[in-house]
């Protein structure tokens, strides 16, 4: 899964009406959240509204707090923490590659 549109299409039955859903286009984040949502969708009443970054930090909005009052917010917080970690690693990797004049795929960014 490479784009948030693919993610939202896959989980459209769980996206609450009027919300845009996944808004992070980082493939590693999409792969991780896809794994988690694959399990969360087994909760009968599970719905999500947004997964995005706000002021540089991941924010996850679901109905887990309503469905599972004690554990719901903890699950959302863990998901946010893991997404933030993935984004930080991706950022550091891109910066280190750029310092070597390489793009994210390891290809030279200098003209030949």
């Amino acid at each position: 899964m490479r784009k948030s549109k693919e993610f939202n299409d896959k989980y459209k039955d769980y996206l609450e009406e009027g919300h845009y859903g996944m808004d992070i286009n980082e493939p590693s984040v999409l792969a991780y959240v896809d794994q988690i949502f694959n399990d969360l969708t087994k909760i009968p009443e599970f719905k999500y509204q947004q997964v995005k970054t706000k002021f540089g930090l991941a924010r996850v909005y679901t109905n887990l707090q309503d469905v599972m009052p004690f554990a719901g917010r903890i699950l959302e917080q863990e998901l946010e923490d893991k997404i933030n970690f993935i984004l930080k690693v991706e950022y550091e990797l891109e910066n280190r590659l750029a310092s070597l004049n390489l793009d994210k795929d390891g290809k030279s960014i200098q003209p030949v």
Side-chain angles (χ1 to χ4, degrees):
M1 193 168 306
R2 308 273 309 162
K3 297 286 180 191
S4 59
K5 182 178 179 349
E6 294 173 45
F7 182 93
N8 289 326
D9 288 344
K10 180 176 180 179
Y11 293 104
K12 67 182 176 208
D13 294 338
Y14 303 95
L15 179 58
E16 284 191 10
E17 192 174 330
H19 296 279
Y20 57 81
M22 172 63 77
D23 194 38
I24 300 174
N25 277 311
E26 182 61 50
S28 52
V29 170
L30 292 168
Y32 171 70
V33 178
D34 181 41
Q35 281 184 309
I36 301 302
F37 270 41
N38 192 43
D39 289 335
L40 291 177
T41 56
K42 294 173 184 164
I43 299 170
E45 298 170 15
F46 173 74
K47 294 283 186 188
Y48 78 108
Q49 299 90 25
Q50 298 173 0
V51 180
K52 64 179 185 176
T53 57
K54 184 175 184 179
F55 304 117
L57 296 172
R59 294 295 298 145
V60 176
Y61 298 97
T62 70
N63 69 341
L64 286 173
Q65 293 182 59
D66 298 328
V67 176
M68 302 166 36
F70 297 107
R73 181 63 194 137
I74 294 168
L75 289 171
E76 286 178 354
Q77 185 64 53
E78 276 297 309
L79 191 51
E80 291 171 356
D81 289 346
K82 297 290 191 269
I83 293 170
N84 285 327
F85 178 77
I86 293 168
L87 290 172
K88 181 178 180 182
V89 168
E90 290 291 335
Y91 176 78
E92 289 295 324
L93 180 61
E94 284 181 36
N95 282 339
R96 288 179 190 214
L97 287 170
S99 74
L100 299 170
N101 291 319
L102 300 172
D103 68 10
K104 192 173 179 180
D105 297 318
K107 297 179 182 162
S108 178
I109 55 177
Q110 287 184 328
V112 178

